[in-house]
Amino acid sequence: MTSHQNTQTMKPATAAKKLGVYLEATPAEFQEGVVSRSELNALQTDPPEWLQELRRTGPHPRPVVAAKLGVSIAGLARGGVTDALTTEQIEALKEDQPDWLRKERATQAEVRKETVRIKEKQAERAKAEERDSRS
């Protein structure tokens, strides 16, 4: 009895998400095939020119756009950004600083501060519980 490993594959949309690229901007052969785990690893460690160019200039998927702008994906939607953007478009938004972007960045900063505050409070509580359990 021999054991053989099945090659794990994923849909192109999943692979594009893991690579942080916009699926519709990838080459047709990428969009139409399946991607094995080893192919994905190869793309990550030694990206071909098309992947390097996509990462550099876009269009970028919404999670990447949100990260580059320092806002949430929901914040993008509230700002009316529903499509993929190129690096040039992202830079233009950063330069123009529309009201919605300033507001969403401020909201994101508050969320980060609150997250830190909650973590610190939980850490203090855990220390107190540990002290109490020792006595």
Side-chain angles (χ1 to χ4, degrees):
M1 183 186 227
T2 61
S3 68
H4 53 84
Q5 214 173 358
N6 287 341
T7 303
Q8 185 181 18
T9 59
M10 60 193 82
K11 293 178 184 174
T14 304
K17 193 175 202 178
K18 289 180 181 288
L19 292 169
V21 295
Y22 186 57
L23 177 63
E24 286 77 9
T26 61
E29 61 270 11
F30 181 86
Q31 292 180 39
E32 295 163 2
V34 293
V35 180
S36 71
R37 176 64 63 188
S38 59
E39 289 170 332
L40 178 69
N41 290 340
L43 287 169
Q44 289 173 323
T45 56
D46 188 23
E49 183 56 38
W50 66 264
L51 181 54
Q52 291 176 35
E53 184 63 21
L54 262 182
R55 286 177 169 168
R56 197 171 27 256
T57 62
H60 303 287
R62 286 181 307 138
V64 174
V65 173
K68 286 180 179 275
L69 289 174
V71 300
S72 66
I73 294 173
L76 280 181
R78 285 190 292 271
V81 178
T82 56
D83 296 327
L85 298 180
T86 63
T87 301
E88 191 176 299
Q89 291 169 314
I90 293 168
E91 292 305 316
L93 276 173
K94 285 179 174 177
E95 206 171 286
D96 293 346
Q97 286 285 316
D99 288 341
W100 71 266
L101 182 57
R102 281 196 299 277
K103 182 180 175 209
E104 291 300 333
R105 281 182 160 177
T107 300
Q108 197 67 3
E110 288 300 316
V111 167
R112 279 194 217 78
K113 275 193 236 176
E114 183 64 9
T115 301
V116 167
R117 186 191 69 77
I118 290 170
K119 282 185 179 181
E120 287 172 351
K121 189 172 183 175
Q122 288 172 339
E124 287 174 21
R125 191 176 297 140
K127 282 182 186 177
E129 287 174 7
E130 190 177 311
R131 278 193 306 265
D132 292 346
S133 68
R134 284 192 220 150
S135 32

